[in-house]
Amino acid sequence: MATQQFSLTKLPPQKTSSIKAVKLDEVLEERLHKLGFITGVKIQFIKASPFGSPRIYRLLNTLISIRDNVAKKILVEVSGE
Amino acid sequence: MNEKVIEVGIIGNPNTGKTSLFNCLTGAFQHVGNWPGKTVEKKEGEVAWKGYTIKFVDLPGTYSIAPYSEEERIAREYVVSPEPDLIVQIVDVNTLLRNLFLTFEIASLRKKLILAFNFNREAKRKGVKTKTSKIKEKLQIPIVEIEAHTGEKKENLLEAIVKTYERKQKTPDYIDKLVKTKEEINHIEARKFLENILKDNYQAGDGDDLTGKIDRVLLNQFTALPIFFLVLWLLFQATFTLSTPLVDLINNLLGELSSIVSKVLITLASPEWVSSLIIDGVIGGVGSVLTFTPLIFILFFLIAILEDSGYLARTVFLVDKLFEKLGLTGRSFIPMILGFGCNVPAIMATRTIRDTREKLISILINPFMSCSARLPVYVLFTGVFFRNHQGFVIMNLYLFGVTVAFLSVLVLRKILPGREEATLILELPPYRLPTLRNVLLHTWSQGKHFIQKAGTIILIAVLVIWFLASFPFGVDYGSRQSLLGEIGQVISPIFKPLGFGDWTFSVALIFGFVAKEVVIGTLGTLYGVGEEGLINVLPRVMTPLSALSLMVFVLLYVPCMATVAVIRRETNSWKWTIFQVVASTLIAWLAAFAVFNLGRILGF
């Protein structure tokens, strides 16, 4: 079982991954924590806006939209088969 | 009124039905205002229950009370203050885990707390299984299940409030383990703790099928934007077209009233200035306030539907990219577009912007979006001076306004206090059917508030203008001999470098503060020719270039008094209101100066 790590923006649609690390300035990181962007939380990419960014993700049973420049700094992990 | 008052703060994440809960508890007896010195709205209401008066305070929807944003600071200050006897947190059981982070923050402040679990029926339908009593036991916090949309089981909550008020409540023993600092909880620990509790007592649904299906159309790569622009067009049309017959009706009724009153005053042989005060001043002033109300009621009715259904958040998502470069988010879009209709409801619509800095910027720049009252001015002057290029000139005036608005955003971002808050973090709530009661209550409270707060300012402004135009009593209204005429003559040299130094323009521009289209009527009266006769008079007193300069000035200078009144009301600050008025007039002068003098250099 190999695991792959990449930034949240590279996550393919509908594939479930789990959050590995959030690397942003403290204020932004804290805001994201409150919405569930916490290490270990399962996250899915749902849809991008017609202009590419922002994108919508599903986590903790909610849909959250963040811009790519923020999502880029969130590391996720997908376990391969 | 009962002697014993229990004050209850209602808190909760956005989209959890907090407003519905507040509405079903307090009914129509709400007081809407602002938090002291803040732009954030504060709602209060009361209900009598079992010998108590329970007073509810609706706190801003927030994910946290660690004080980063203004909403969070307000919520936190209120929770820690001695004012609330207890806090009710409304919780969407569909997103239970995320909601409970806030619960821990409140509990760590040692405040009495009740959880109101909401959307239980919806959750059941989506396959969510909740063992509420087990969760209550583990969390050591009272939990009540309710349906805030319909108000079902609200008695249970009122009962719990009284019970909790009368008893001691122990702080849950696990809290200290989850607190990081005095203000924050450790989210990683909190999540572990919660997963442990919820493991056997809660089962999340398998995703929201319906929302996913609707989003496949409404957020589709190809159909999303066309649908959005259609919705926007409908919103615009409904607000500004549906309201027209109502506005006409109000004007007709006031016209009738004026003629009756004037007949009565004649039989009473009252002095002419008294008749004028009552008819032009008081009835005219009340009329100015009332003519805005259909717009505001219709717009807020529709915005409430968009918001409650879950679509408003999606429009923010769709156009966000266009605003990223400006340092704003997609939330600024709808108010900006509405500004082309009328800046008054447009500025009120900035209420949907959560970030206070972005909201302030959106309010301050909105008057540069050329509203429909300015159009008659453009039509008249372009009709006289740019007969063959009328559409082209008018279109460019609109574009010029937008350009000035965007440039102002860039400047304001530099000079406004506060942290640069440029990013979008947006929850897209599931689609839900709005309830008529919530939508109507929302519309009513906003409309009422406009009449009370903005209405007072508008009425005072009308009376001041009336006085200036009538004094000394006996002169013709707004004529050269009136106080306003005198002022016009004194300030007219200011406009000489802009190409319209005649005192009549100064007076017309002062009257334009009442409403921008009044500029035309005033000029017609002052030249003694009426509006139609202006076509012959204007070419004798100005050139095409000075007409262009005047139009640029009318586009940008001090917004009409109703707009100023809502700027005051929405910013909750005279400082920002005066800043807007002074800055926009200064910008107008500079822009008109540039147009006139560049034009002259180029030989026009």
Side-chain angles (χ1 to χ4, degrees), chain B residues 150-358:
Chain B
T150 55
E152 279 165 83
K153 302 193 198 165
K154 69 172 178 185
E155 296 77 15
N156 296 357
L157 179 59
L158 292 170
E159 200 62 40
I161 287 171
V162 170
K163 224 193 252 168
T164 308
Y165 174 75
E166 287 170 347
R167 284 189 201 156
K168 279 213 161 78
Q169 191 181 45
K170 269 208 309 211
T171 308
D173 54 19
Y174 55 81
I175 270 299
D176 289 331
K177 282 186 293 186
L178 306 181
V179 176
K180 195 160 68 179
T181 64
K182 242 175 83 184
E183 288 177 342
E184 284 161 25
I185 59 158
N186 182 332
H187 286 95
I188 297 176
E189 287 303 320
R191 174 177 161 262
K192 276 190 204 148
F193 176 77
L194 281 172
E195 289 202 329
N196 209 10
I197 289 183
L198 299 180
K199 188 172 62 199
D200 299 322
N201 302 314
Y202 180 84
Q203 195 189 326
D206 26 7
D208 184 355
D209 245 16
L210 184 66
T211 293
K213 271 184 197 147
I214 298 175
D215 273 342
R216 233 164 282 157
V217 180
L218 294 188
L219 298 184
N220 177 288
Q221 196 73 24
F222 304 105
T223 54
L225 290 176
I227 292 173
F228 173 45
F229 287 116
L230 181 70
V231 169
L232 197 64
W233 183 81
L234 287 173
L235 178 73
F236 197 90
Q237 286 299 321
T239 305
F240 299 112
T241 311
L242 277 184
S243 63
T244 314
L246 291 170
V247 174
D248 291 344
L249 181 72
I250 291 172
N251 282 330
N252 289 340
L253 288 175
L254 286 168
E256 294 284 322
L257 182 67
S258 295
S259 63
I260 295 169
V261 170
S262 104
K263 273 180 203 139
V264 172
L265 288 170
I266 287 169
T267 56
L268 293 176
S270 73
E272 202 170 319
W273 71 268
V274 175
S275 315
S276 171
L277 171 64
I278 293 171
I279 290 165
D280 299 324
V282 177
I283 298 181
V286 171
S288 316
V289 179
L290 288 183
T291 47
F292 283 105
T293 49
L295 257 75
I296 286 165
F297 277 103
I298 294 173
L299 178 71
F300 273 95
F301 181 78
L302 296 171
I303 284 195
I305 292 176
L306 286 184
E307 199 165 14
D308 291 358
S309 65
Y311 188 62
L312 193 68
R314 280 155 176 90
T315 70
V316 174
F317 161 76
L318 287 174
V319 292
D320 180 67
K321 186 74 189 169
L322 308 175
F323 286 78
E324 196 178 335
K325 284 247 154 50
L326 279 175
L328 301 176
T329 70
R331 292 186 198 276
S332 297
F333 187 67
I334 287 187
M336 225 177 248
I337 297 300
L338 290 171
F340 289 123
C342 174
N343 302 116
V344 171
I347 288 172
M348 291 181 78
T350 60
R351 240 172 249 196
T352 54
I353 303 174
R354 288 177 57 84
D355 183 73
T356 43
R357 202 159 177 271
E358 183 180 0

Side-chain angles (χ1 to χ4, degrees), chain A residues 30-31 33-35 38-41 47 49-51 53-54 56 61-67 69-70, chain B residues 63-64 68 94-95 98 184 187-188 191 219 221 317-318 320 324 328 421-423 425-428:
Chain A
E30 195 59 41
R31 278 183 69 190
H33 273 167
K34 291 161 189 168
L35 285 164
I38 310 163
T39 309
V41 169
K47 205 180 276 286
S49 97
F51 302 105
S53 165
I56 303 174
N61 219 20
T62 59
L63 296 174
I64 308 282
S65 169
I66 54 174
R67 289 177 180 165
N69 56 10
V70 171
Chain B
Y63 295 106
S64 162
Y68 285 107
N94 294 287
T95 55
R98 210 270 317 279
E184 284 161 25
H187 286 95
I188 297 176
R191 174 177 161 262
L219 298 184
Q221 196 73 24
F317 161 76
L318 287 174
D320 180 67
E324 196 178 335
L328 301 176
E421 180 88 60
T423 198
I425 300 176
L426 173 75
E427 182 177 0
L428 302 176

